[in-house]
Amino acid sequence: MLLGLFILMFISTALLILESLWLILPAYAANSFAVIAGGGTPVDFGKKFYDEKRIFGDGKTWRGLILGIAFGTIIGLLQTYSSEIIEFPSFGFFPSFFVVLFCLTFGALFGDLCKSFVKRRLNIKRGGKLPVLDQLDFVIGAFLFLIIFSPVWFLQTFTIYHIIIILVATPLLHRVMNIVGYRIGKKKVPW
Ligand code: CTP
Ligand code: MG
């Protein structure tokens, strides 16, 4: 009896974690693909801000931004079409799922850009550490965009549990992914 209850709790927690990762996956995909596909012309075109420091720095490129958004959106579309089959939450119907996916992908990379902007203002060089923001920049960006541009879907789909799980799991996953990125030579530093 007690064991049955325990197993039930375990399964529902595991499902909640999977569901949370599923919902944030397009943001993860955009952020990771920006690292894999990035390079070339920087978003700030090499320009400096009023403080004579770079606006974003060489770590934020157009290729990373555009291909990150494209890849994250493709992943999100694949998820949308498979969500019915595996009975997982979807990103909505056509065409509104494009707004949701725009928030998840562009919002994520916008958060990443904002973080780099803050780092440059704090005199932190490209690749230098900024704890918490380095790990949560893209999740915060995605949430912010969802609240602003897709509040109905966001409130209907996300529970406080999903949000807490994402905020806790992301720094852990981020750490793992960055070590992988560093090993394959896509990141200069393992964070
Ligand atoms: N990247 C990119 N374009 C983006 C985001 C990331 O080209 N819009 C690539 C860059 O090659 C970057 C790498 O992904 O160096 C890692 O991303 P990130 O850790 O966010 O950048 P950092 O190099 O650490 O720079 P910053 O200090 O500005 O965070
Ligand atoms: Mg970095």
Side-chain angles (χ1 to χ4, degrees):
M1 174 66 193
L2 204 63
L3 183 71
L5 199 69
F6 183 77
I7 292 172
L8 207 69
M9 269 175 64
F10 180 82
I11 292 174
S12 52
T13 309
L15 261 176
L16 197 65
I17 293 172
L18 279 178
E19 215 175 84
S20 308
L21 296 177
W22 170 265
L23 286 170
I24 202 69
L25 190 64
Y28 279 11
N31 199 58
S32 318
F33 204 66
V35 180
I36 294 167
T41 312
V43 175
D44 64 9
F45 296 106
K47 287 197 174 61
K48 295 190 166 92
F49 199 57
Y50 298 111
D51 55 9
E52 292 301 306
K53 292 174 198 116
R54 287 287 295 277
I55 304 176
F56 303 119
D58 285 330
K60 303 296 107 125
T61 67
W62 284 106
R63 209 163 72 204
L65 192 67
I66 292 163
L67 294 181
I69 292 168
F71 184 71
T73 303
I74 291 170
I75 294 292
L77 289 176
L78 291 175
Q79 285 180 267
T80 300
Y81 288 110
S82 45
S83 63
E84 246 175 78
I85 306 164
I86 60 171
E87 290 184 34
F88 257 40
S90 93
F91 299 111
F93 299 99
F94 178 85
S96 64
F97 55 58
F98 278 114
V99 180
V100 172
L101 293 178
F102 164 81
C103 292
L104 282 165
T105 57
F106 183 68
L109 293 178
F110 182 82
D112 181 47
L113 271 180
C114 290
K115 173 209 66 181
S116 289
F117 180 79
V118 170
K119 280 168 90 172
R120 298 302 91 81
R121 305 291 72 75
L122 294 173
N123 218 358
I124 301 171
K125 291 258 168 323
R126 173 192 178 180
K129 270 191 201 176
L130 181 59
V132 186
L133 268 193
D134 261 334
Q135 287 90 45
L136 290 177
D137 54 355
F138 69 102
V139 168
I140 294 170
F143 281 160
L144 222 67
F145 268 55
L146 283 172
I147 292 166
I148 296 169
F149 299 108
S150 247
V152 176
W153 178 84
F154 183 68
L155 292 174
Q156 281 175 347
T157 314
F158 276 84
T159 64
I160 189 71
Y161 303 110
H162 291 114
I163 295 172
I164 291 169
I165 288 168
I166 290 168
L167 291 178
V168 173
T170 301
L172 301 174
L173 285 171
H174 195 262
R175 183 95 192 101
V176 173
M177 290 312 291
N178 280 349
I179 291 171
V180 173
Y182 176 68
R183 288 276 164 84
I184 62 170
K186 277 291 171 189
K187 278 191 62 86
K188 293 201 159 43
V189 286
W191 58 77

